[in-house]
Amino acid sequence: MKITGFRSETYSMKMNREVADANLPSGVEIMPASILFLETDENITGISLGYGGGVEHLFHLIEGEDPRDVVGLWIKINDYLHKAGNEGAATLVFSAIDMALWDLKAKIAGEPLWRTLGAREGRVRAYASGLDYSLSDEDLFRFYRHMAERGVTAGKLKVGLDIEADMRRIGIMQDALSVAAAKPGLMIDSNEYWSPKQAVRYISMIEERYDLIWAEEPARRWDYDGLRLVSSQVRTAVATAENLKSLSDVYPLIANEAADVLNLSSNHSGVTGCRQIANMAYAHNIPVSMMNCQANFMAQVAAALPGHTMMEVVDPGREHCLKYDNHLEDGYIHLSEAPGFGIEVDETILKDLQQNPPKGKGAFPFPRREGAGRYLVPPAPGETPWSS
Amino acid sequence: MKLTSCKITPVNTRISRIRLLSDAGAEGSWVIDHDLHTMAESLFSAALAGQDPRATASLWRNMLDHAGDNLQARICAAALDVALWDLKSVSGNEPLWRKIGGARKPANIHFSIGGCKAGSGEEDRRLHEALSASGFREGRLDSPLDADDLALRIERLASALAQDAQPPALYVNAREQGALKDTIAAIRTLEQRFDITGIEAPFPMWDASGVRRISENIRAAVFNDLSAYGRERLLPLFRAHSLNIVQLSIFRDGVSGVLELADAAFGYELPVIIAAAPGNIGAHFAGALPYFMSLEIAELPEAQTLPSEIAISDGWALPGDAPGLGVNWPQPSI
C-alpha cells in the first residue's frame, strides 16, 4: 500500500456556545478547523482533524511510502525538521500527517485505533471542562449538571481574574457534579495568566475551601522552575504541557520534576509524539490526561496509553460536518469498533461551511490578556455575564 | 479474537518454544528457558487466557501486575509478550517491524565475543567468526577491568573488525567488579590506548550516583547491563543522569516494554542498544525506535539457535518480509 495524494480542507464553524478563559473572558463562538485526507493506491483514505494548512511542505516525505510504517515516517519527518525545528505551524502539519497515517494503519488492519495501539477496550474516563469563563453562573451549573447526568464525576473550571468569583463558581461546579459523586473531583485552569507566586497565593486560598485534584498551567508552559515552585508550595497537583509541541519540549519539565500531571494534545507531534510523552511520563510515574478535541477522537489514543487518568470533554458542538461513533455514558467515553479514528466527513456540510462561513463572535487563537503574570485585570462589567 | 491455550515444547536441551494459540487460528511463538515452563503456563492462565491477543499494551501491564518483583515471572511475562507480538503481526500478515510501525531499515549491529581468555581456542573462533562474517564495524567483549589480558583482547577485537569507514566501535562489559576509583582509573588507562565507545556495567546499577560519577570521569559512554530493566530499575538511572546509552532486552521487557522505554530514553536523547536474542530478532526495532543505536549480535545466522529471516551483511542486519518475528522454527526435538 502506498500514499498517493492528499487533500486538506479548512473551514470555520460556529459552536453551540461560547468558550473562554482568563485570557479572553468574553469568549469566542467561531472556531477554525481543518481536515486532512491522505489518499492511498488501495482506496482507503486516512483522516485527521487539526488546525492548519501547509501539508504540501511535508507531503513529499510520505508520498509513495507505506502508511503502516507510521513510526518510521515520524522519525523521517522529525529528522527533516531538524534545523528549522519542530515548532509552530510545522508541528501542526506534522501532527496532522502522523494522525492520518495512524488512521490509515488502523483502517488497513480493519480495526479501531485503540486496538491497533494495544488497548484492551475502547473506554476512557472523562472529566468535564466547560471552557466556561463566559458562562453565566446559571449556564455554568447547567453545563456541569448535564455532564454529571452522564456520569461525569470531575470538572475543571476556568479561573484567574477574580478570586472571589472563582471561589463561588468552583462551588457551583461542585454542586452541579454532586449528583454523580458524593465528592466530585475539582480542577482549575488559569491558562498561564498567573505568575508562579500569584498561583501559590490564589491556589492556597482556594485550598482553604476546596480540595483540588490539579491546577493547570499555573505558570508559563516552559518555566520548569516556576511550575516546580508552585507544586512545592501548594497541596494541589500541577498540570501542564498542553501547549508544548513534542517530547523534547516536555523533557525539561520531567527532568526537573516540575509537573505532577502532563496534559497531552493531538498537537504533540501526532499520535506518535503523544505516545512518546506518555511513555516517558509513565516511566517517571507522572499521570497523563488527554486534552479535549473535536468528536473526542483522541480518546482512541488515550485508551491505550499507560498512566492515563482522565480525558477532557468540552462538547461545545464542533462536529457539524463530522460523523462519529462514540458517546459519553457512565462517566466514560465509549468508543466503537469503527476502524481508525471512527470519523467520517459529511462533504456536503463541509462544502456549505466553506461557502457560507458562519458569522459570530470569534478571536481564536486566544491572545494573552493585559496584566498576565503581573497584576489582575478583572473582567469589566459586561465582559462576562457574571462581572459587574 | 481470544487466546485459547499456551503450548510449550522443547527446542533443544536449554530452551523451549512457547506457542500461543487463538480461536481465530493464528498463533504466535517465542522461546523460554526449560526451568520456567510452569511459571509461564501459570502466568498465561492468570493474565492472558481468554483475552484478545491484540491488546498488547493492556496485557503487558496486566502480566507485570501479576509478576510483581519476581524476576523469573518478569522473564516469563517478557517471553509471553514477544509471542503476543508475533501473533499480532502474523494475524495481520505483517512482519513485526511493520506491525510496530517501523520502516524497513537495516539495523546497525555489533558482534559480541563474550568472555573468553585471550588467545584461547574459543576466542580465536569467535574473532574468526567476526572476521569471516566481514563487515562488522562494532564489537563487544566481556571482561573484568583488572584482567591482565584485557588490553590484548581489545586489540585483537579491534583488528578483527572492519576498518574501512571509521575506527571500529568497541564496547566493554566490565561486569561491575571494581571499586569506584579503581574502575575510573582502569578505564582511563584503557582510554589512553583505545577509543572506547561504551562501557557496560562499570559499577552496580543500583548505585545510580556511583554510575554517574564513573560516566563523569571517563570519555566512553556508560550503559546498563540487564540487571537494570523496566521503569522501576531504570528510573533512578534516568533521574541521576547516570547513563549515556540505554540497553534494553526483550528478555526483560518484551516488545511492549522495549517500545515504551525507548520512548522514555528518547526524552533524554539517550541512544538505545538492543541486547542479543536468538534469531537476532531485535533487528525489527531499528526502524521503529526513535533513537536506535546498535543491536548486539551473539550468534551469526549460520550458527543460530533459532534460524530467522534476519539477514546480516556488511555490518548491518536487515529484517525480512515474513509475517511476525520471521523465525524459522526447527522441528521439535524428542
Side-chain angles (χ1 to χ4, degrees):
Chain A
M1 172 151 332
K2 282 189 179 6
I3 297 156
T4 53
F6 75 93
R7 180 161 65 96
S8 176
E9 303 282 1
T10 56
Y11 65 100
S12 292
M13 64 185 128
K14 185 173 180 175
M15 296 177 284
N16 298 338
R17 64 174 176 84
E18 292 173 2
V19 299
D21 69 14
N23 286 296
L24 194 72
S26 55
V28 303
E29 54 186 357
I30 301 293
M31 194 68 92
S34 65
I35 306 175
L36 172 62
F37 300 85
L38 278 187
E39 288 139 11
T40 65
D41 57 358
E42 290 185 30
N43 251 341
I44 302 180
T45 301
I47 295 174
S48 70
L49 308 176
Y51 295 95
V55 177
E56 63 277 11
H57 298 295
L58 296 179
F59 181 72
H60 64 96
L61 296 167
I62 59 165
E63 187 169 18
E65 300 282 357
D66 192 313
R68 291 172 293 182
D69 302 352
V70 51
V71 181
L73 295 171
W74 187 96
I75 294 169
K76 187 178 179 184
I77 297 171
N78 193 50
D79 286 345
Y80 178 82
L81 291 173
H82 170 66
K83 187 69 175 174
N86 176 15
E87 293 162 14
T91 308
L92 299 184
V93 175
F94 186 6
S95 299
I97 288 176
D98 180 80
M99 291 187 285
L101 289 171
W102 276 104
D103 187 49
L104 277 171
K105 187 174 172 77
K107 282 175 173 165
I108 292 163
E111 60 194 15
L113 182 57
W114 57 264
R115 175 162 283 140
T116 304
L117 293 169
R120 194 196 324 241
E121 53 180 357
R123 205 171 76 107
V124 180
R125 198 175 156 227
Y127 75 88
S129 174
L131 311 188
D132 36 33
Y133 222 93
S134 69
L135 297 187
S136 68
D137 287 8
E138 294 72 29
D139 286 341
L140 185 71
F141 182 87
R142 216 167 282 135
F143 170 78
Y144 286 104
R145 178 53 60 89
H146 176 63
M147 286 290 181
E149 283 163 356
R150 293 194 272 172
V152 178
T153 59
K156 185 176 80 187
L157 188 80
K158 292 295 186 191
V159 299
L161 303 180
D162 179 339
I163 191 67
E164 283 309 313
D166 292 343
M167 296 271 228
R168 182 186 74 244
R169 289 162 67 84
I170 293 171
I172 293 170
M173 176 172 77
Q174 184 181 40
D175 284 351
L177 291 170
S178 63
V179 293
K183 190 176 177 305
L186 307 176
M187 293 161 274
I188 57 168
D189 187 352
S190 48
N191 291 87
E192 302 179 289
Y193 187 75
W194 294 333
S195 71
K197 277 297 187 181
Q198 283 178 308
V200 169
R201 284 160 51 214
Y202 299 137
I203 295 167
S204 299
M205 284 182 213
I206 294 170
E207 285 177 340
E208 287 169 20
R209 278 175 56 186
Y210 299 103
D211 185 31
L212 299 176
I213 296 177
W214 78 59
E216 194 162 313
E217 294 196 308
R220 299 312 302 274
R221 61 196 73 174
W222 60 81
D223 181 9
Y224 55 81
D225 287 319
L227 290 162
R228 190 182 51 213
L229 180 135
V230 175
S231 180
S232 68
Q233 289 196 252
V234 302
R235 196 170 66 215
T236 302
V238 165
T240 188
E242 73 175 19
N243 289 314
L244 300 176
K245 299 298 179 210
S246 63
L247 178 60
S248 40
D249 285 356
V250 175
Y251 159 71
L253 302 182
I254 295 179
N256 290 289
E257 301 177 52
D260 304 304
V261 176
L262 288 169
N263 300 112
L264 301 178
S265 136
S266 58
N267 292 327
H268 282 154
S269 307
V271 172
T272 306
C274 211
R275 189 173 62 168
Q276 287 171 354
I277 296 172
N279 282 336
M280 187 180 188
Y282 184 66
H284 292 74
N285 280 313
I286 302 170
V288 293
S289 167
M290 188 63 72
M291 191 187 174
N292 79 84
C293 54
Q294 283 174 286
N296 298 327
F297 72 94
M298 285 299 279
Q300 295 277 352
V301 181
L305 295 179
H308 186 266
T309 163
M310 48 187 172
M311 174 163 168
E312 180 181 36
V313 173
V314 175
D315 197 19
R318 293 175 291 190
E319 291 79 21
H320 308 74
C321 62
L322 304 177
K323 288 181 278 187
Y324 62 100
D325 192 8
N326 67 64
H327 64 283
L328 186 59
E329 190 185 322
D330 301 331
Y332 286 81
I333 301 163
H334 297 264
L335 301 162
S336 72
E337 292 284 335
F341 279 117
I343 287 175
E344 289 175 58
V345 177
D346 185 321
E347 300 271 359
T348 313
I349 298 175
L350 172 62
K351 192 158 284 172
D352 183 56
L353 286 168
Q354 289 173 323
Q355 286 170 351
N356 307 295
K359 297 201 176 12
K361 197 159 81 175
F364 194 87
F366 291 176
R368 201 165 191 227
R369 183 176 175 84
E370 163 72 19
R374 291 150 289 165
Y375 49 88
L376 301 186
V377 179
E383 199 174 4
T384 69
W386 50 268
S387 46
S388 54
Chain B
M1 198 190 310
K2 285 201 180 351
L3 289 162
T4 51
S5 65
C6 167
K7 292 208 160 72
I8 302 186
T9 50
V11 171
N12 58 30
T13 53
R14 208 169 43 78
I15 56 171
S16 297
R17 174 182 181 182
I18 294 181
R19 287 169 62 208
L20 297 181
L21 308 182
S22 70
D23 60 0
E27 62 173 82
S29 296
W30 185 231
V31 294
I32 194 151
D33 284 352
H34 280 319
D35 303 349
L36 299 176
H37 279 198
T38 318
M39 191 173 269
E41 281 164 351
S42 55
L43 185 58
F44 174 86
S45 306
L48 299 184
Q51 300 287 336
D52 189 321
R54 293 169 295 182
T56 43
S58 300
L59 295 176
W60 171 238
R61 285 187 283 283
N62 199 9
M63 288 194 286
L64 293 190
D65 287 345
H66 280 92
D69 280 340
N70 182 323
L71 174 58
Q72 291 191 319
R74 170 91 185 195
I75 291 170
C76 292
L80 289 167
D81 180 79
V82 178
L84 279 174
W85 275 100
D86 188 40
L87 198 167
K88 184 167 164 146
S89 311
V90 167
S91 68
N93 199 30
E94 291 173 10
L96 177 65
W97 60 264
R98 170 156 281 158
K99 189 44 90 177
I100 60 178
R104 185 175 184 205
K105 199 174 163 187
N108 186 38
I109 53 179
H110 63 276
F111 189 66
S112 228
I113 64 169
C116 348
K117 274 222 148 335
S120 66
E122 167 68 4
E123 181 169 86
D124 287 343
R125 187 181 63 76
R126 296 291 287 166
L127 287 173
H128 177 72
E129 280 176 358
L131 264 177
S132 61
S134 75
F136 273 102
R137 290 161 288 106
E138 307 193 346
R140 167 156 38 164
L141 58 76
D142 292 6
S143 171
L145 292 169
D146 60 357
D148 293 336
D149 62 353
L150 176 55
L152 178 60
R153 291 185 64 214
I154 293 176
E155 202 166 9
R156 289 162 61 95
L157 174 62
S159 58
L161 296 169
Q163 311 285 327
D164 43 344
Q166 56 176 350
L170 300 168
Y171 304 95
V172 176
N173 177 2
R175 300 169 169 184
E176 52 174 67
Q177 297 201 345
L180 189 127
K181 294 294 256 184
D182 294 340
T183 299
I184 292 168
I187 296 169
R188 292 175 85 141
T189 305
L190 278 182
E191 287 182 332
Q192 287 172 2
R193 278 188 65 186
F194 304 104
D195 175 30
I196 312 253
T197 300
I199 304 274
E200 177 178 0
F203 212 56
M205 286 300 132
W206 41 262
D207 184 353
S209 63
V211 177
R212 188 194 58 229
R213 281 181 68 194
I214 304 237
S215 169
E216 286 168 350
N217 283 284
I218 65 172
R219 294 182 193 174
V222 166
F223 63 104
N224 59 298
D225 64 5
L226 301 193
S227 69
Y229 56 86
R231 58 178 187 146
E232 301 86 346
R233 284 167 182 78
L234 286 169
L235 179 55
L237 298 165
F238 285 147
R239 282 214 197 280
H241 299 274
S242 308
L243 303 177
N244 312 109
I245 297 171
V246 179
Q247 179 170 233
L248 300 172
S249 168
I250 57 167
F251 285 111
R252 294 290 181 279
D253 285 301
V255 171
S256 298
V258 166
L259 293 175
E260 272 181 29
L261 292 164
D263 280 348
F266 184 50
Y268 291 93
E269 293 250 343
L270 292 175
V272 170
I273 283 179
I274 299 292
N280 299 322
I281 64 155
H284 287 285
F285 287 118
L289 302 191
Y291 230 42
F292 173 85
M293 181 175 179
S294 191
L295 167 69
E296 181 188 26
I297 303 288
E299 293 177 334
L300 292 174
E302 52 274 25
Q304 284 285 358
T305 316
L306 286 186
S308 77
E309 301 283 321
I310 312 286
I312 291 184
S313 70
D314 292 332
W316 301 88
L318 189 64
D321 286 322
L325 301 172
V327 169
N328 302 316
W329 290 95
Q331 291 302 308
S333 60
I334 311 297

